[in-house]
């Protein structure tokens, strides 16, 4: 089965959005890591949680009816709920830069966060902490961010539906779309229980492999023909990410952008939003562009950027060999350098 997408590799990155910076910190001991999306001038934000087992921080303040209008960064991390500690390091770094909400006694950086479950990869006692979040911020820039086995994608794995031993390496990816002078970009860390598929054809690109490990099983078709999935620990899979635009949006519109971004996950992951996933997407609007082509167009752009970034997460990944001998092949290696065919 081919693992080459029919559509051309997407170009661009979330940092094509004016006012957005991205930094990664990767801990090679496991591996695991965290990624930060920074809006130094603040950004109107929204969030939509679709998975049944999320790990998040500061999501309630993003509700349209709540007081705070802007946040200053969004953190994505491995390490399950322990990884939320990385956000405190990001807050410290941002405060040192004078970035945050003026509360009269200082500037308070607002940093919502979401985590994914990468604990089966290596020593689970190694996870992102405050120092990791601080380091990710210190590394942030406007350059196109690294993709694949870095940051929040360092320990990501996809296709665990039929057992961890038949899964493949996930990762983190980015993409952007520009229409009428307005840009929408996405940064996606994919640790899904399902397969990553080509949004144009539905063809599986990375995910659950056949029992002999030599090809993709196609999880959707396998489930529909009656193959039973392996028991899954709740919350042990998740795709998390950030959508950003330079358009000027209200909080309600930013929340809608996060909501429609999940359409991009539905096009590029199958199955998605399961009881074992904690799928969470944030949206940031920097407001640099005073006009935009309307929410219908922005919604279409957001879904497209998310789908492309999800594909990039597995296209850019590299094969991971664990100390116990488990090999998690990457899309680029399946059936080639691993000698599986």
């Amino acid at each position: 089965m081919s693992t080459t997408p029919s559509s051309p590799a997407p170009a661009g990155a979330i940092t094509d959005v004016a006012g957005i910076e991205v930094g990664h910190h990767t801990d090679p001991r496991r591996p695991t890591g965290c990624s930060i999306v920074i809006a130094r001038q603040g950004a109107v934000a929204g969030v939509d949680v679709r998975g049944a087992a999320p790990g998040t921080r500061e999501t309630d303040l993003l509700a349209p009816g709540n007081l705070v209008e802007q946040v200053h960064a969004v953190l994505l991390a491995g390490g399950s709920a322990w990884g939320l500690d990385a956000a405190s390091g990001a807050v410290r770094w941002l405060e040192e830069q004078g970035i945050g909400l003026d509360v009269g006694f200082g500037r308070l950086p607002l940093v919502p966060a979401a985590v994914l479950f990468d604990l089966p990869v290596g020593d689970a006692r190694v996870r992102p902490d405050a120092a990791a979040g601080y380091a990710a911020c210190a590394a942030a820039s406007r350059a196109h961010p690294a993709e694949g086995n870095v940051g929040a994608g360092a320990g990501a794995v996809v296709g665990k539906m039929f057992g961890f031993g038949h899964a493949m390496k996930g990762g983190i990816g980015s993409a952007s779309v520009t229409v009428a002078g307005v840009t929408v970009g996405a940064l996606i860390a994919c640790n899904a229980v399902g397969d990553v598929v080509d949004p144009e054809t539905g063809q599986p690109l990375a995910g659950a492999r056949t029992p002999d490990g030599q090809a993709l099983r196609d999880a959707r078709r396998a489930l529909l023909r009656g193959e039973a999935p392996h028991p899954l620990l709740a919350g042990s899979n998740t795709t998390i990410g950030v959508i950003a635009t330079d358009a000027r949006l209200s909080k309600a519109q930013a929340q809608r952008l996060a909501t429609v971004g999940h359409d991009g996950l539905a096009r590029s992951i199958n199955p998605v939003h399961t009881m074992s996933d904690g799928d969470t997407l944030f949206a940031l609007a920097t407001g640099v562009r005073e006009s935009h082509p309307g929410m219908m167009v922005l919604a279409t752009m957001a879904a497209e950027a998310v789908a492309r970034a999800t594909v990039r997460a597995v296209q850019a990944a590299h094969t991971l060999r664990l100390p116990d001998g488990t090999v998690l092949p990457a899309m680029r290696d399946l059936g080639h350098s691993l000698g599986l065919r």
Side-chain angles (χ1 to χ4, degrees):
M1 181 178 294
S2 171
T3 58
T4 301
S6 63
S7 51
I14 193 171
T15 49
D16 293 333
V17 174
I20 293 295
E21 301 172 44
V22 172
H24 298 302
H25 174 74
T26 306
D27 190 331
R29 293 176 295 168
R30 197 152 70 74
T32 188
C34 59
S35 302
I36 191 83
V37 179
I38 298 175
R40 288 176 182 261
Q41 303 305 315
V44 175
V47 67
D48 192 321
V49 180
R50 292 292 179 92
T56 58
R57 160 189 163 129
E58 298 272 44
T59 52
D60 283 352
L61 65 83
L62 303 181
N66 288 344
L67 181 64
V68 170
E69 284 294 320
Q70 294 187 326
V71 303
H72 307 95
V74 174
L75 181 92
L76 309 176
S80 190
W82 284 293
L84 291 171
D85 184 39
S88 61
V91 168
R92 179 164 61 91
W93 186 89
L94 291 165
E95 182 184 17
E96 290 175 0
Q97 310 306 308
I99 299 169
L101 175 67
D102 187 353
V103 293
F105 302 93
R107 288 197 170 271
L108 175 62
L110 298 175
V111 185
V115 293
L116 55 79
F117 188 98
D118 60 2
L119 302 181
V121 179
D123 185 349
R125 294 170 297 180
V126 177
R127 52 240 186 186
D129 55 12
Y134 189 98
C137 289
S141 76
R142 292 295 314 280
H144 282 200
E147 299 174 295
N149 299 24
V150 296
V157 180
V158 299
K160 291 157 278 188
M161 183 73 65
F162 299 100
F164 189 82
H166 293 99
M168 291 179 64
K169 186 67 183 72
I172 194 165
S174 193
S176 67
V177 179
T178 299
V179 175
V182 171
T183 300
V184 177
L187 182 75
I188 303 294
C190 186
N191 187 58
V193 68
D195 294 343
V196 175
V197 303
D198 185 332
E200 301 296 328
T201 67
Q203 183 83 357
L205 302 176
R209 289 177 288 140
T210 52
D212 62 7
Q214 295 185 358
L216 293 173
R217 187 189 301 240
D218 193 332
R220 179 178 68 89
R221 287 187 169 89
L223 292 172
L224 292 176
R225 62 177 171 256
E227 293 187 33
H230 283 213
L232 296 167
L233 178 66
S236 58
N237 313 271
T238 289
T239 298
I240 54 179
V242 181
I243 301 162
T245 181
D246 45 22
R248 183 172 296 177
L249 301 180
S250 66
K251 284 185 74 175
Q253 289 172 323
Q255 184 182 53
R256 179 54 51 183
L257 210 64
T259 296
V260 297
H262 281 278
D263 294 349
L265 293 186
R267 294 175 197 161
S268 56
I269 301 173
N270 199 329
V272 71
H273 303 143
T274 75
M275 293 295 289
S276 295
D277 288 292
D279 303 326
T280 300
L281 292 180
F282 297 91
L284 299 175
T286 63
V288 173
R289 311 298 179 199
E290 293 189 5
S291 62
H292 61 76
M295 285 303 296
M296 184 69 72
V297 176
L298 287 180
T300 302
M301 295 166 68
E304 185 70 15
V306 168
R308 293 182 184 184
T310 304
V311 170
R312 282 296 304 160
V314 296
Q315 285 178 328
H318 293 270
T319 293
L320 184 63
R321 291 171 172 83
L322 300 180
D324 65 2
T326 299
V327 177
L328 296 167
M331 172 185 162
R332 66 176 68 197
D333 295 324
L334 183 62
H336 298 288
S337 64
L338 291 180
L340 295 178
R341 291 185 187 175

